[in-house]
Amino acid sequence: MSASGGSKGKKRPKSYYVQAAKKFREAKFTLGVDMKGFLLTCNNREKECVREGYNLLNEYADKIYGPEKVSNEEDSGSDEEDIDKALQNEVESLKKTAPSERRFQAVKSGANNCIFIRTTIDDPVYLVHSILKDANESKKLKARFILRMLPVDGTCRASMDDIKGLAKKVLESVLGEENPGFSFCIVIKIRNNNQVSSKVLIPALAELIMSMNCKNSIDLGDPEVVVIVEVVRTICCMSAVRDYFKFKKFNLHGVVAQKEIDSRLGESGCAGLQLLATTVRKQSLLS
């Protein structure tokens, strides 16, 4: 038998298939292109951040869109056996559901203290705005470990051409020619990427937005719309939001602390104001 024939018939080792299967599974749970979701930042408590993210997003998604449909044909009884059976049925039902079909699914972002939760809902911006609006009005902090919660309307490769293409797609409904024109600014954060520069990206995106609607205008002080651009390794995440600075750059702690500052200021002048203001600044720096 020739050497070439022998090598042709040689089987790959089992470890090859194990590694291939592992890479395939990891790809499903890694931040990639054409995703919608939420970027959550935290301070070294990523597991707790994911848990809080699931709880908070599911709470408000149930209010807005109704409970997520999970097949559960058997009724749960009052005894321990029925409860265990109901829990087992729910776990099996979730296993049968593909991760891409679940309403919320955490995936690896590739950056420390930065969590991405992929979603199947159409408008993550509205969901996050609802959460922050409620926090701003109620002064109740529902997340201990989540610092910032940023909606993501789309993702692409972190190259200039792809980012411009994503901007046209994501920003058309808010800053396109069919709108009356809004003041805007661009906020960019780059993590673990040395190929993309904000000094190059901001002017390019600003020029693109102005070309989409000549009535749009740049306002760095009090813009009506803020374009959020988050570059995480090789992926760019983007969305257009309102009330960005009103809601303290979408910082859950900052929104609640600011309401507490306003309340104490109305009650007792400057009593306790300096301490609370310092808390807000620290939370902003951590995010």
Side-chain angles (χ1 to χ4, degrees):
M1 182 181 292
S2 64
S4 59
S7 61
K8 183 177 180 180
K10 186 178 180 181
K11 292 184 178 180
R12 291 189 173 97
K14 183 179 178 180
S15 59
Y16 171 84
Y17 297 98
V18 171
Q19 290 298 322
K22 182 179 179 181
K23 290 181 180 179
F24 178 77
R25 289 193 299 269
E26 288 180 350
K28 285 186 175 181
F29 296 96
T30 303
L31 176 60
V33 300
D34 298 326
M35 289 185 178
K36 289 189 176 186
F38 312 88
L39 267 179
L40 313 181
T41 64
C42 59
N43 188 20
N44 299 323
R45 303 294 291 271
E46 294 188 359
K47 290 183 179 179
E48 292 85 350
C49 178
V50 171
R51 184 179 66 247
E52 283 187 346
Y54 280 150
N55 293 338
L56 196 56
L57 291 170
N58 277 307
E59 176 186 346
Y60 282 84
D62 287 348
K63 292 178 182 178
I64 297 172
Y65 306 106
E68 186 174 11
K69 293 182 180 180
V70 177
S71 60
N72 188 8
E73 298 178 355
E74 299 186 14
D75 294 329
S76 56
S78 57
D79 58 0
E80 185 176 353
E81 181 178 356
D82 289 338
I83 293 175
D84 290 339
K85 186 180 292 184
L87 289 173
Q88 184 178 359
N89 290 337
E90 185 174 353
V91 170
E92 292 299 327
S93 176
L94 288 174
K95 287 181 178 179
K96 293 178 182 178
T97 305
S100 59
E101 297 176 357
R102 296 177 189 171
R103 181 180 280 175
F104 304 111
Q105 176 64 55
V107 299
K108 295 180 180 179
S109 70
N112 293 330
N113 299 324
C114 181
I115 309 298
F116 188 88
I117 297 181
R118 183 177 57 196
T119 186
T120 58
I121 65 174
D122 293 330
D123 194 353
V125 173
Y126 179 73
L127 183 58
V128 172
H129 194 276
S130 299
I131 293 172
L132 289 164
K133 181 180 178 182
D134 187 37
N136 186 54
E137 293 174 351
S138 66
K139 299 188 298 183
K140 293 181 179 179
L141 182 62
K142 294 187 176 182
R144 177 183 175 188
F145 301 102
I146 300 173
L147 297 179
R148 299 176 71 197
M149 176 177 283
L150 303 175
V152 175
D153 242 348
T155 62
C156 69
R157 291 290 178 186
S159 67
M160 182 61 73
D161 291 340
D162 288 345
I163 292 174
K164 286 184 177 180
L166 178 64
K168 291 178 182 179
K169 177 182 175 182
V170 169
L171 306 180
E172 180 63 33
S173 61
V174 181
L175 297 167
E177 60 182 358
E178 295 183 358
N179 295 283
F182 296 103
S183 60
F184 72 93
C185 77
I186 302 169
V187 176
I188 295 180
K189 176 73 174 181
I190 300 175
R191 297 179 173 88
N192 300 350
N193 186 309
N194 296 323
Q195 306 300 316
V196 179
S197 171
S198 59
K199 294 181 179 179
V200 176
L201 197 54
I202 289 177
L205 288 178
E207 182 180 357
L208 175 64
I209 293 171
M210 294 298 294
S211 68
M212 292 170 61
N213 188 337
C214 62
K215 295 180 181 179
N216 292 330
S217 60
I218 299 174
D219 186 348
L220 303 181
D222 186 23
E224 296 172 285
V225 176
V226 171
V227 178
I228 299 175
V229 179
E230 294 273 337
V231 177
V232 185
R233 296 188 69 183
T234 61
I235 300 298
C236 175
C237 308
M238 188 180 300
S239 62
V241 302
R242 297 176 183 274
D243 300 322
Y244 180 75
F245 294 107
K246 175 183 176 181
F247 291 152
K248 306 304 174 186
K249 301 179 181 180
F250 283 26
N251 187 309
L252 293 172
H253 293 260
V255 169
V256 175
Q258 182 60 42
K259 288 292 292 184
E260 190 175 351
I261 289 174
D262 295 340
S263 175
R264 290 197 182 185
L265 183 60
E267 293 174 1
S268 57
C270 294
L273 180 60
Q274 186 63 39
L275 176 61
L276 288 168
T278 302
T279 301
V280 174
R281 286 196 296 270
K282 286 183 178 179
Q283 292 295 345
S284 298
L285 290 173
L286 286 174
S287 64

